[in-house]
Amino acid sequence: MQNHPVNSLSMDFLTEFLINLEKLENDRSCRGIILTSGVPKIFSAGLDIMEMCGKSAEHYAEFWRAVQEMWLRLYQSNMVTIAAINGSSPAGGCLMAMSCDYRIMAENPKYSIGLNETRLGIVAPFWFKDTMVNTIGNRATESSLELGLSYSSPEAHKIGLVDQLVPEEKLQSTAAAVMSQWLAIPDHARQITKSMMRKPTVDRLLAHREADIQNFVSFISKDSIQKSLQMYMEMLKQKRG
Amino acid sequence: MQNHPVNSLSMDFLTEFLINLEKLENDRSCRGIILTSGVPKIFSAGLDIMEMCGKSAEHYAEFWRAVQEMWLRLYQSNMVTIAAINGSSPAGGCLMAMSCDYRIMAENPKYSIGLNETRLGIVAPFWFKDTMVNTIGNRATESSLELGLSYSSPEAHKIGLVDQLVPEEKLQSTAAAVMSQWLAIPDHARQITKSMMRKPTVDRLLAHREADIQNFVSFISKDSIQKSLQMYMEMLKQKRG
Amino acid sequence: MQNHPVNSLSMDFLTEFLINLEKLENDRSCRGIILTSGVPKIFSAGLDIMEMCGKSAEHYAEFWRAVQEMWLRLYQSNMVTIAAINGSSPAGGCLMAMSCDYRIMAENPKYSIGLNETRLGIVAPFWFKDTMVNTIGNRATESSLELGLSYSSPEAHKIGLVDQLVPEEKLQSTAAAVMSQWLAIPDHARQITKSMMRKPTVDRLLAHREADIQNFVSFISKDSIQKSLQMYMEMLKQKRG
């Protein structure tokens, strides 16, 4: 992933990501992917706030459908998916990592990961929550989401949000080694097993997909939410400027 | 909570608790509560056995409805709820603690906590069980309930039944500090998130509320159960006498 | 269990196991059983591959129904069931252990346990998966099943797949001591609690039992699966030969 400055999940980025993912999915010579960042210090900053601010309801709906699609495709990919997390990974970035089969994170106390939506006054949707419950269990998810917690890499490892910690210089080689282990398993049996584990969670979103979009659009369109997102964007601009 | 000698959840206590909780819930200046005991060495002894012994079926039904109501209100309170557990907390006392958003327990090996109903020959109802599964997971709940386990405070911390252990003299100040962290989160986003996490569990009781009452009444009215509760009460009287 | 050389779950073994289990279940003087192996170094090797190779569809269906029945009876036994795991316990052997109320394993790094089906190119059915999720949670089950992991006894203890590790010479005495603790709990309350914990998982299989049999028969009848099982059997024969 290389979408400067922070790998935000913009409409363009999501579209390109989905096209590439589908190409690889249909390429029989590709059995696994390693998801990592080409941008220093950040894995992905999550959903692009620009797409959620001052736009039309149609735009919000289209954007949210793309976010759903990214998760649906990644979470049930037939390929082995390994996240090599070489930077911070808040909100939507954390979702992407959790949607992979395995997570390896660079041992750097400055890198954090978590679904921190509540801190911005917004709410992680139920399928973000479901994905987290599937990863770290109900209780850790509950306090994590209610407090919008960001975990340092050692903390994330301790609660099981990432599977393995390695020094940053060994991240890519470890990801490749782990990939070999996964590819040693017969694809067919692994794919059926993955689907058995994840399909009920996917089906929940599919059953409520349009309602989830409507819910997002009406929430994000609220004056109070728009105001707080604009303030947050101003803050980010000044910080970067 | 101050209902001498052991903060038993009697009909009177539950009624007063519910009235006070509703008052605070409707008081916009109150955003959080710390649940703690004014009685030494005991947080709450759980359901008052006096209410379950030698009374009419109508009384049992009314009592059980009040217990359900306490859980329903506390488990989905809009306020931040923190349990400062300064004493033992068996059965219904453990349920109250588990219904809060966060649990801090005094580091005292004499204090125990757990759903120990099976030891008395009775059975924790499904929504006690659901609340425990949500807190410590399925397997720990299974052995916990089947054996009626009481955990010392270090054990309770280890399995995640309480979130934090502190020396007894620091319990209230820690609870206040934790409360500040929780109150730093925008109420609205936290409340929606809490409801998303807990509503399915609440809905299960609401869907079977009357059946659950009937179940309790017929179980507790059994001669064998009445006999064993009476023996237990005699034992307690002699112990205290 | 004593079915040389490796306690394979053959049709004959399952039939005898079910008859004996039912006898004990109906014997009021028997309140608990300890499941252990009379064969050195192996608890149970799991399903007998001979029953799944080169037989008729009717045979596969009959065999699978017996495997289901074994799990249904063991998982919801009214007796206290303790697994004293004195050897390796792959696949169906692991399922038997997980179906007990408590698991004690000999501290021997050579003994492994796990649902390793995917390694053979086959897939653990959903109720194997459900039983494992109930024991070690969703995430550990996911990677466990997708990779077909076998755990050494210390690893199995760490992730909660077994409850206790003891030196091999103390395995039987520890199992007896644990049994005493469980038998100290009133049977009736323990049995209702166990049923409350396990019935939803049992009901899922009962609701899809015939479909699960059809699924097994059509999967195992595939040429590719038959070929790989035959190769595996040849390998085993040469190894033993």
Side-chain angles (χ1 to χ4, degrees), chain C residues 137-190:
Chain C
N138 188 81
R139 171 60 190 155
T141 299
E142 190 176 66
S143 50
S144 204
L145 292 188
E146 290 194 33
L147 291 167
L149 295 178
S150 291
Y151 298 94
S152 70
S153 55
E155 289 167 339
H157 184 238
K158 199 181 161 200
I159 64 162
L161 186 51
V162 302
D163 297 295
Q164 202 175 339
L165 282 192
V166 295
E168 185 144 9
E169 66 273 18
K170 293 197 178 164
L171 184 60
Q172 303 304 331
S173 61
T174 306
V178 169
M179 180 60 81
S180 303
Q181 295 176 319
W182 282 75
L183 293 180
I185 307 298
D187 280 344
H188 189 63
R190 185 187 51 72

Side-chain angles (χ1 to χ4, degrees), chain B residues 1-14:
Chain B
M1 298 185 286
Q2 195 151 8
N3 182 26
H4 283 279
V6 291
N7 280 338
S8 289
L9 307 179
S10 64
M11 197 69 210
D12 286 348
F13 180 85
L14 287 170

Side-chain angles (χ1 to χ4, degrees), chain A residues 123-148:
Chain A
V123 176
F126 73 87
W127 43 285
F128 281 51
K129 181 263 288 175
D130 288 344
T131 309
M132 190 173 238
V133 168
N134 288 350
T135 311
I136 62 170
N138 188 82
R139 172 57 190 157
T141 300
E142 190 177 67
S143 51
S144 204
L145 291 188
E146 289 193 33
L147 290 168

